[in-house]
Amino acid sequence: MLQHCPGSHWPDYHGCSLLNLTATLAAALGAPTGHAPLRHPALAGLATRRHVILLVIDGLGQQQLQTLGPDSALRQHQQSTLTSVFPSTTAAAITTLMTGEPPARHGLTGWHVYQENPERIVAALPLSVRWPEDDTSDAATVADTLFETPALFDRFARPATVLHPVYIADSPYSRQHSGQAQRLPYRSIEDMFEQLQQIVQADSGPSFIYGYLPQLDAAMHAHGTGAEPVRQLFAQIDQAFRLFTESLRGQDVTVLVTADHGFIDAPLERQLDLEDYPELLEDLRAPLSGERRVAFCHVRPGREERFLANARRLLGHAAWCLESRQLLEAGTFGPGPQHAGLPRRIGEVALIMKDDWTLRDLAPGEKPYYLPGVHAGVSAAEMTVPLIVFDGR
């Protein structure tokens, strides 16, 4: 999509991304979004299924599925691959799945999002304020100014249920994006699948169920993509999926499984610290927003050209340094209409990390930490996710 980023991989919003999967699902359930559908034979007839289930395994990119489970039940039922959205990260991708809109519309541009009026940087999922340090706004206040896109599931022509881990089931993010759907907390992976089975067996009428599994993502952030805790966790999820689908044989149920993004390992020696580049820091009016793999730079007025030139000179070996408007012009955030705040949210300069490089900065009061596994970038491993389909009939 951006010719000056050789080897990069970008979303295919024309028919092969999470946005298009959501468009097909929504159209089948009576809530067309107007976005291009994902056309695949395995998705034919969704509208006639009595129960439709969408499971999102956070972080299970195509590369992770092939590496962790080449002979797994999940892999056995894989039908295709999709692209994530941009950035390839939870805040952007999950919000697309739960609203039916791309990041261009919902405006969530990463773990950290820049806001105006008041000027601040917030963590989009826990809804904490990263900067300025003296901003004491609570999560509900941040949510009121950050979340603007209506929940997709409210428009479905059948009741919807959302299964989230107990620790986020009642969060402002979950309440906003679940809409009027029934929200059910679960305490373990097995508990989630047991609740899914109970809903299907109760068979109180046609249903849609959305289940979110964040555990694998957390493990890969903490340990890297191939560590033993990650392998054990994948095996646990796959076993629960296998038993669940076996229980559905002969029933009018379709289970869709995908991920919000993939992952890469991030060697410590390939982590750059912005504090080591005072020439760049002095031209910033705020800390970075976005992610360690896609950083949005908020530059002091009149210093944009100097900052970009210095960034290319100092960081060009590790990052593509672009004017942020180029991302908008290339449609990387998806089709419009565009969120009014998007141009400001992505700053004046974007640093898109190459290979396995990461960039870290520290806001006042933050303590440094290292993430062995990361995502949000434009490598194939981060951008490509599986489409898994089980049909019980």
Side-chain angles (χ1 to χ4, degrees):
M1 184 176 290
L2 292 172
Q3 300 302 318
H4 40 278
C5 300
S8 59
H9 295 258
W10 300 87
D12 179 1
Y13 297 116
H14 299 293
C16 195
S17 74
L18 293 176
L19 176 69
N20 310 109
L21 172 63
T22 307
T24 293
L25 178 63
L29 300 184
T33 64
H35 297 298
L38 173 67
R39 302 189 188 279
H40 192 284
L43 301 180
L46 276 179
T48 66
R49 301 294 183 268
R50 189 164 179 81
H51 304 288
V52 177
I53 300 172
L54 174 62
L55 300 181
V56 181
I57 304 175
D58 197 322
L60 184 65
Q62 175 64 16
Q63 181 168 304
Q64 283 69 53
L65 180 59
Q66 289 175 325
T67 302
L68 297 171
D71 301 314
S72 62
L74 286 162
R75 185 74 174 87
Q76 177 186 346
H77 292 288
Q78 183 178 3
Q79 297 292 329
S80 185
T81 58
L82 307 172
T83 67
S84 183
V85 299
F86 178 81
S88 55
T89 192
T90 302
I94 293 294
T95 308
T96 289
L97 289 169
M98 298 187 77
T99 66
E101 299 292 350
R105 176 68 188 91
H106 63 62
L108 298 190
T109 52
W111 179 259
H112 290 128
V113 178
Y114 174 89
Q115 287 188 294
E116 291 185 285
N117 302 321
E119 185 181 35
R120 61 188 177 192
I121 294 175
V122 301
L125 298 181
L127 294 169
S128 56
V129 177
R130 183 185 191 214
W131 173 87
E133 194 175 10
D134 59 357
D135 188 318
T136 58
S137 302
D138 60 19
T141 300
V142 175
D144 285 343
T145 63
L146 189 64
F147 301 148
E148 302 176 25
T149 311
L152 174 63
F153 307 155
D154 284 351
R155 307 203 303 273
F156 286 0
R158 59 175 67 189
T161 300
V162 172
L163 285 162
H164 274 155
V166 64
Y167 56 88
I168 61 170
D170 198 41
S171 68
Y173 182 93
S174 178
R175 292 199 302 270
Q176 166 69 24
H177 296 97
S178 300
Q180 299 303 308
Q182 180 184 26
R183 286 182 288 109
L184 298 178
Y186 68 84
R187 298 187 177 278
S188 68
I189 292 167
E190 289 76 15
D191 181 33
M192 191 204 75
F193 281 100
E194 287 172 8
Q195 291 194 51
L196 286 173
Q197 188 170 5
Q198 290 168 7
I199 294 170
V200 173
Q201 288 177 341
D203 197 25
S204 56
S207 69
F208 168 75
I209 311 166
Y210 171 89
Y212 173 60
L213 291 157
Q215 299 85 350
L216 196 67
D217 174 271
M220 287 192 286
H221 275 309
H223 304 289
T225 64
E228 186 58 27
V230 171
R231 295 182 179 278
Q232 292 177 5
L233 187 55
F234 174 84
Q236 181 184 358
I237 294 170
D238 189 65
Q239 172 72 351
F241 172 79
R242 182 183 65 79
L243 294 174
F244 174 60
T245 51
E246 286 178 355
S247 76
L248 300 179
R249 296 289 182 186
Q251 300 190 51
D252 191 7
V253 183
T254 293
V255 183
L256 311 175
V257 186
T258 190
D260 48 352
H261 55 76
F263 253 87
I264 63 167
D265 291 309
L268 182 58
E269 63 271 17
R270 305 267 273 185
Q271 175 180 278
L272 302 177
D273 288 295
L274 194 62
E275 63 186 18
D276 294 335
Y277 302 94
E279 293 171 85
L280 299 178
L281 277 174
E282 68 181 14
D283 284 343
L284 292 175
R285 67 177 190 274
L288 302 177
S289 65
E291 301 269 351
R292 293 184 177 209
R293 291 281 290 160
V294 175
F296 301 121
C297 307
H298 308 279
V299 185
R300 297 182 189 278
R303 302 189 185 183
E304 294 89 351
E305 289 187 11
R306 185 176 78 174
F307 180 88
L308 183 58
N310 283 334
R312 286 172 172 166
R313 176 173 57 86
L314 296 169
L315 305 179
H317 64 289
W320 292 296
C321 308
L322 314 172
E323 293 179 80
S324 296
R325 63 174 179 80
Q326 293 178 269
L327 297 175
L328 295 178
E329 293 167 356
T332 58
F333 296 96
Q338 182 177 289
H339 186 285
L342 184 60
R344 293 282 284 171
R345 288 187 177 184
I346 62 172
E348 290 71 38
V349 173
L351 306 176
I352 302 175
M353 308 309 291
K354 302 175 182 178
D355 302 324
D356 55 2
W357 290 94
T358 56
L359 177 64
R360 181 183 69 179
D361 77 328
L362 293 175
E366 288 183 337
K367 295 181 179 180
Y369 64 96
Y370 164 60
L371 292 175
V374 293
H375 54 80
V378 293
S379 70
E382 294 161 282
M383 188 59 69
T384 309
V385 298
L387 173 62
I388 296 161
V389 183
F390 171 84
D391 191 333
R393 295 172 310 158

